[in-house]
């Protein structure tokens, strides 16, 4: 396993180790908590020497994603290097029937994937659940709105960016990961986000999870690449939001 230069994953170097915890767990453990037979990360000496300080081996984490998304024999021919992240993202989007353009930026394609996940989940919710979700992220004046208009508001919130969009991303990603890898995101230390996540213990969480229990990810590769790509997309949103917030505070 060797990291290939990848402009779409270099932002890992800007993340703290805690932020990378969930992604590392996803790459190294199956849904039942056992270590994956096909992972290579935990065998690396750099990993062994510095775990759990993931920031010190972010390239290895990126390489693990690249290799899971590649054909094993082809990886050997490339000297142990996998494929660029964008190729993996596009493959996942094709699998999930996401509408996107290959010419778009990686961030835009990830947003299309997250929007598809969001829309699929929202369509499973009752009007009451939609209103509860809207209230949880601070959307007001919703009592007279229809389910269709609420879906439109959520989509507009997501596209607008900012903290509400970040909240919405984490709510959806958290529930999806619980459904497909058996555990959600680690958000200790952020009281606002923890309160937001509390709604996932009720019907809203069941609705989002239910939308994913029927997803066919029987392929061992997809069992890794789908949750990994969803987490990378969420991490990118986190990085961009925190960068934006820091720029505002600095100015």
């Amino acid at each position: 396993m060797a990291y290939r230069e990848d402009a779409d994953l270099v932002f890992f170097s800007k993340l703290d180790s805690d932020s990378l915890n969930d992604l590392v767990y996803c790459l190294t453990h199956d849904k039942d908590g056992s270590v994956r037979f096909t992972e290579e990360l935990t065998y690396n000496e750099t990993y062994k020497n510095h775990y759990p300080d993931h920031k010190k081996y972010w390239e290895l984490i990126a390489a693990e994603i690249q290799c899971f998304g590649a054909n094993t024999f082809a990886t050997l021919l490339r000297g142990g290097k996998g494929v660029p992240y964008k190729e993996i993202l596009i493959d996942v989007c094709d699998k999930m029937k996401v509408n996107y353009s290959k010419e778009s930026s990686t961030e835009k394609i990830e947003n299309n994937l997250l929007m598809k996940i969001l829309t699929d989940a929202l369509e499973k919710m009752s009007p009451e659940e939609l209103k509860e979700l809207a209230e949880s992220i601070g959307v007001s004046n919703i009592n007279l709105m229809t389910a269709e208009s609420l879906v439109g508001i959520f989509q507009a919130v997501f596209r607008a960016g900012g903290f509400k969009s970040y909240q919405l991303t984490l709510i959806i990603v958290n529930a999806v990961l619980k459904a497909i890898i058996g555990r959600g995101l680690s958000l200790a230390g952020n009281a606002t986000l923890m309160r937001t996540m509390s709604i996932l213990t009720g019907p809203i969480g069941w609705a989002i999870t239910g939308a994913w229990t029927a997803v066919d990810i029987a392929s061992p590769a997809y069992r890794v690449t789908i949750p990994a790509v969803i987490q990378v997309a969420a991490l990118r949103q986190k990085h961009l939001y925190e960068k934006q917030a820091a720029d505002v505070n600095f100015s």
Side-chain angles (χ1 to χ4, degrees):
M1 178 182 72
Y3 172 65
R4 63 184 299 165
E5 292 298 322
D6 196 330
D8 292 320
L9 294 180
V10 73
F11 80 98
F12 282 7
S13 65
K14 307 296 184 182
L15 301 175
D16 57 62
S17 293
D18 286 345
S19 295
L20 291 165
N21 267 336
D22 297 317
L23 178 58
V24 170
Y25 184 88
C26 166
L27 293 171
T28 57
H29 290 77
D30 287 320
K31 187 173 182 177
D32 63 4
S34 59
V35 176
R36 296 187 187 279
F37 289 119
T38 50
E39 66 90 15
E40 298 181 48
L41 182 60
T42 63
Y43 296 95
N44 189 282
E45 288 302 317
T46 302
Y47 173 93
K48 292 178 181 178
N49 291 335
H50 296 289
Y51 176 87
D53 192 358
H54 309 308
K55 188 178 177 67
K56 290 187 176 177
Y57 45 83
W58 70 266
E59 295 101 329
L60 296 177
I61 298 169
E64 190 83 352
I65 296 171
Q66 293 170 336
C67 289
F68 266 119
N71 175 277
T72 303
F73 182 66
T75 300
L76 290 174
L77 294 179
R78 284 191 295 264
K81 293 184 178 182
V83 297
Y85 170 75
K86 191 171 184 179
E87 286 187 27
I88 302 167
L89 170 63
I90 285 173
D91 183 54
V92 166
C93 285
D94 289 340
K95 175 68 173 176
M96 305 309 301
K97 298 180 173 58
V98 176
N99 185 24
Y100 70 94
S101 167
K102 289 184 178 180
E103 283 68 47
S104 294
S105 68
T106 295
E107 181 189 349
K108 177 69 181 299
I109 296 173
E110 285 177 340
N111 283 345
N112 288 350
L113 171 63
L114 292 172
M115 179 62 77
K116 172 71 161 53
I117 295 170
L118 170 62
T119 302
D120 287 351
L122 294 173
E123 289 174 351
K124 299 284 186 181
M125 295 183 195
S126 69
E128 292 74 22
E129 290 163 355
L130 289 169
K131 288 177 181 177
E132 184 182 352
L133 180 57
E135 289 172 352
S136 75
I137 63 169
V139 176
S140 57
N141 302 320
I142 58 175
N143 289 329
L144 299 178
M145 293 181 183
T146 64
E148 289 76 14
S149 62
L150 281 170
V151 169
I153 286 174
F154 284 122
Q155 292 172 338
V157 165
F158 179 78
R159 291 192 180 100
F163 186 67
K164 285 184 174 62
S165 173
Y166 179 45
Q167 278 182 292
L168 198 52
T169 298
L170 293 185
I171 288 170
I172 302 302
V173 168
N174 190 71
V176 168
L177 292 178
K178 280 188 175 180
I180 59 179
I181 67 171
R183 58 179 264 170
L185 299 169
S186 303
L187 295 170
N190 192 317
T192 302
L193 291 177
M194 289 298 290
R195 284 195 300 272
T196 302
M197 292 304 173
S198 68
I199 69 168
L200 293 171
T201 59
I204 292 175
W206 305 336
I208 300 172
T209 302
W212 278 79
T213 53
V215 173
D216 176 23
I217 51 173
S219 161
Y222 282 124
R223 285 203 294 270
V224 180
T225 58
I226 290 177
V229 163
I230 290 170
Q231 288 192 73
V232 171
L235 285 171
R236 196 183 312 277
Q237 290 300 310
K238 177 180 189 293
H239 172 63
L240 293 172
Y241 167 72
E242 290 178 346
K243 184 175 183 296
Q244 180 186 48
D247 289 344
V248 170
N249 292 333
F250 181 75
S251 61

